[in-house]
Amino acid sequence: MKKWQATVLVCASLLCLSACKNQMGNQADKQNEDKQAQVSSQVTKKGEEVPNFELTGVDGKTYRLSDYKGKKVYLKFWASWCSICLASLPDTDELAKEAGDDYVVLTVVSPGQKGEQSEEAFKKWYQGLDYKNLPVLLDPSGQLLASYGVRSYPTQAFIDKEGKLVKTQPGFMDKEIILENLKTMN
């Protein structure tokens, strides 16, 4: 096949995929807008006490936010398909290993939400990774995502020792910036 024919074929394929994705995206967007309208009033704002949660980790343990009262909490929302998330997992694992009496690191994945694979598939995929210190909590209902207003991955939430939201930050944050944020919190 000639180079120009291959280029035309690739472009036509991309246009078809884009049109299909747009149609599916429009339907999903409408559903998401309805869901967002319902939960938008429930999003925790800076300075407010965050709601307690109880989630199961991939390790089978139960994690409750209330168990960490008196500690600063770094909460990272991520997804298996997010390249930025995956690139930052080694730093997050290291942070979790270094955490002491002052702070704790928790990460949250929402199987079946925002393009994430099913819980079973995620657990199987995650077993192939080699993170020993990283608590990965599962939020299959997406309620925790909604309560923090997570719209993109990764998104970080910083919670002070009193259980109040200091800030949420979408996008990449390197280890030094995360530590700096933790140091400046109560």
Side-chain angles (χ1 to χ4, degrees):
M1 183 181 291
K2 293 183 181 177
K3 192 174 183 179
W4 71 269
Q5 288 172 320
T7 302
V8 169
L9 183 61
V10 167
C11 289
S13 297
L14 288 174
L15 283 172
C16 287
L17 285 173
S18 179
C20 291
K21 185 178 186 289
N22 259 353
Q23 182 60 30
M24 290 172 56
N26 289 340
Q27 292 169 354
D29 287 345
K30 176 65 176 138
Q31 290 172 344
N32 285 338
E33 284 173 17
D34 293 343
K35 197 183 285 186
Q36 282 296 105
Q38 292 172 349
V39 297
S40 64
S41 62
Q42 300 169 356
V43 173
T44 305
K45 308 261 186 300
K46 181 180 175 180
E48 292 181 348
E49 190 168 327
V50 296
N52 190 31
F53 60 76
E54 182 176 309
L55 297 173
T56 303
V58 294
D59 58 6
K61 294 179 186 175
T62 299
Y63 293 83
R64 292 173 197 82
L65 184 60
S66 58
D67 291 345
Y68 304 105
K69 195 93 172 188
K71 283 189 174 192
K72 301 170 190 174
V73 177
Y74 169 62
L75 191 59
K76 179 177 184 166
F77 296 91
W78 64 283
S80 64
W81 52 261
C82 168
S83 60
I84 295 170
C85 302
L86 298 178
S88 64
L89 284 181
D91 278 351
T92 309
D93 188 56
E94 215 173 285
L95 276 169
K97 182 179 181 180
E98 296 168 0
D101 293 333
D102 192 42
Y103 70 90
V104 66
V105 174
L106 301 173
T107 70
V108 178
V109 173
S110 294
Q113 306 291 322
K114 297 189 180 287
E116 184 56 73
Q117 56 193 316
S118 72
E119 186 171 333
E120 185 179 313
F122 176 82
K123 285 179 177 178
K124 186 175 180 180
W125 170 82
Y126 188 75
Q127 285 177 349
L129 303 180
D130 192 32
Y131 297 111
K132 307 275 188 241
N133 310 293
L134 193 61
V136 180
L137 288 56
L138 301 171
D139 175 32
S141 70
Q143 288 181 338
L144 198 60
L145 284 178
S147 70
Y148 284 87
V150 174
R151 293 178 170 220
S152 62
Y153 294 119
T155 292
Q156 289 79 207
F158 293 87
I159 302 164
D160 69 15
K161 292 180 178 185
E162 296 173 3
K164 293 183 180 174
L165 182 64
V166 174
K167 77 175 189 176
T168 56
Q169 172 90 32
F172 173 78
M173 290 182 89
D174 68 22
K175 183 180 171 186
E176 289 74 31
I177 293 173
I178 294 165
L179 285 171
E180 187 177 305
N181 275 278
L182 287 167
K183 285 178 188 174
T184 61
M185 291 169 40
N186 291 336

